[in-house]
Amino acid sequence: MSRSEDGISQVLQARGLNITHPRIALFKLLEEGKPLSVSEIYHELAGEVDRASVYRAINLFVDLGVAHKINLGWKYKIELSDAFVEHHHHFTCAKCHKVIALNEAELESFIDRLARRYKFSATAHQIEIQGLCEKCKKGRVKSGKN
């Protein structure tokens, strides 16, 4: 079991929840680092985890703060929270729904300066900047998933 799998096991056990195969399978998939839609998660785990278990595990992870949703209009993708991966923000393509992670120290410094200016004590934040990726901007992608 990896160190992060130990972490998810501890989170579940601390809440009196079972460490089940669907939960571990979902965690391992999300641990790969690519934000995934519910449909993509289901297809990746098909034959291993049934659809209802995928939805239950996703909802549980979001409720526990293990994962969070990246909103893409009325749809969303799921990724692990900062408890398991390095804190970051996103560029999201409004056309093909590609998600690009941003790990920028300058952005974090800017957020800290704003909080100080407004005497605000920030406890968490998530920034998502929507626009068009390079391929969509050049008209090379009509629609789809990346």
Side-chain angles (χ1 to χ4, degrees):
M1 193 176 276
S2 72
R3 192 175 118 182
S4 55
E5 283 179 64
D6 286 341
I8 186 61
S9 296
Q10 289 174 4
V11 168
L12 293 170
Q13 288 175 334
R15 301 284 174 90
L17 299 167
N18 293 326
I19 302 165
T20 64
H21 174 71
R23 293 170 183 170
I24 295 299
L26 174 61
F27 185 82
K28 285 181 179 180
L29 180 61
L30 293 175
E31 198 173 31
E32 293 174 11
K34 182 179 175 191
L36 299 168
S37 68
V38 175
S39 177
E40 291 168 329
I41 292 169
Y42 174 70
H43 287 338
E44 287 289 327
L45 299 178
E48 185 177 354
V49 179
D50 65 84
R51 185 178 300 269
S53 294
V54 166
Y55 278 97
R56 282 193 302 269
I58 288 170
N59 289 333
L60 177 65
F61 281 12
V62 170
D63 289 346
L64 293 176
V66 170
H68 65 260
K69 296 178 180 180
I70 302 167
N71 293 309
L72 303 165
W74 57 273
K75 296 181 180 183
Y76 59 89
K77 291 193 176 194
I78 303 292
E79 74 174 0
L80 290 178
S81 70
D82 294 350
F84 295 95
V85 297
E86 185 178 352
H87 178 74
H88 62 280
H89 304 286
H90 305 100
F91 279 139
T92 59
C93 182
K95 192 169 189 178
C96 71
H97 305 294
K98 179 178 183 177
V99 177
I100 302 167
L102 302 172
N103 296 339
E104 299 295 329
E106 289 177 62
L107 185 55
E108 294 301 320
S109 294
F110 177 69
I111 293 166
D112 290 342
R113 283 195 314 275
L114 281 177
R116 283 192 304 275
R117 180 185 308 159
Y118 291 98
K119 296 174 177 47
F120 184 79
S121 179
T123 57
H125 64 272
Q126 181 180 347
I127 297 174
E128 181 181 335
I129 302 168
Q130 297 180 359
L132 296 176
C133 69
E134 183 178 18
K135 287 181 182 178
C136 290
K137 188 170 60 177
K138 291 182 179 179
R140 293 188 284 189
V141 175
K142 292 184 181 176
S143 65
K145 299 174 191 163
N146 279 345

